[in-house]
Amino acid sequence: MNIDRLREIIPLNEPDYCEECHKENLRGWTNSNRLETKLLKLGKIESLKNKGYEAYKKGEENRFSSEATAALSYYPYNGSSVYQCISCKGVILIYLETGGHAARYQARWISSRVSLKP
Ligand SMILES: [Zn+2]
């Protein structure tokens, strides 16, 4: 899924909280809590230019914060899959984090307030 299609499916107005997906806890990258088994998978991110494990850096921006730019060519967005909550229509990206001791899924809610970059 490329950035244009992703922009199309992100709701302009959606509730800030959801009993189904609990996206309110996923404003920055967080353990997915097995959401990948519950939500509808729409496809994988197709980035403009895959930067591998390089992370996007923008000034002082903390890439784990809720304000972080979602730069799709960069890690971990470039390896993410796009999921949608049927209940609230919220769009959530999930990727498998393989660094550290055990692989684990990480999730981030991408609302219309998150700035996207190809
Ligand atoms: Zn939801």
Side-chain angles (χ1 to χ4, degrees), residues 9-11 14-15 18 23 83-91:
I9 63 164
I10 294 172
E14 61 178 304
C18 177
K23 62 190 177 182
Y83 291 78
Q84 190 162 36
C85 176
I86 293 169
S87 176
C88 70
K89 307 293 183 218
V91 172

Side-chain angles (χ1 to χ4, degrees), residues 5-61:
R5 180 75 185 115
L6 185 62
R7 283 198 172 107
E8 281 173 18
I9 63 164
I10 294 172
L12 287 176
N13 288 300
E14 61 178 304
D16 279 333
Y17 301 90
C18 177
E19 294 288 327
E20 282 304 311
C21 65
H22 293 284
K23 62 190 177 182
E24 62 273 13
N25 299 324
L26 306 172
R27 293 175 191 275
W29 288 112
T30 311
N31 270 326
S32 72
N33 208 9
R34 296 184 56 78
L35 265 185
E36 67 280 359
T37 65
K38 298 171 192 156
L39 302 182
L40 182 66
K41 185 177 179 177
L42 300 180
K44 286 188 73 78
I45 287 289
E46 294 161 31
S47 53
L48 197 61
K49 191 178 180 196
N50 195 326
K51 298 279 192 177
Y53 284 101
E54 188 183 336
Y56 179 70
K57 288 195 185 69
K58 181 185 166 196
E60 300 288 296
E61 186 179 86

Side-chain angles (χ1 to χ4, degrees), residues 54-112:
E54 188 183 336
Y56 179 70
K57 288 195 185 69
K58 181 185 166 196
E60 300 288 296
E61 186 179 86
N62 175 347
R63 66 192 179 96
F64 297 103
S65 77
S66 57
E67 286 85 38
T69 303
L72 303 186
S73 295
Y74 292 82
Y75 187 82
Y77 300 93
N78 55 9
S80 295
S81 293
V82 183
Y83 291 78
Q84 190 162 36
C85 176
I86 293 169
S87 176
C88 70
K89 307 293 183 218
V91 172
I92 293 171
L93 298 184
I94 299 179
Y95 77 99
L96 184 61
E97 167 67 61
T98 54
H101 293 292
R104 60 207 183 277
Y105 285 97
Q106 300 283 293
R108 186 180 179 202
W109 171 30
I110 306 296
S111 76
S112 57

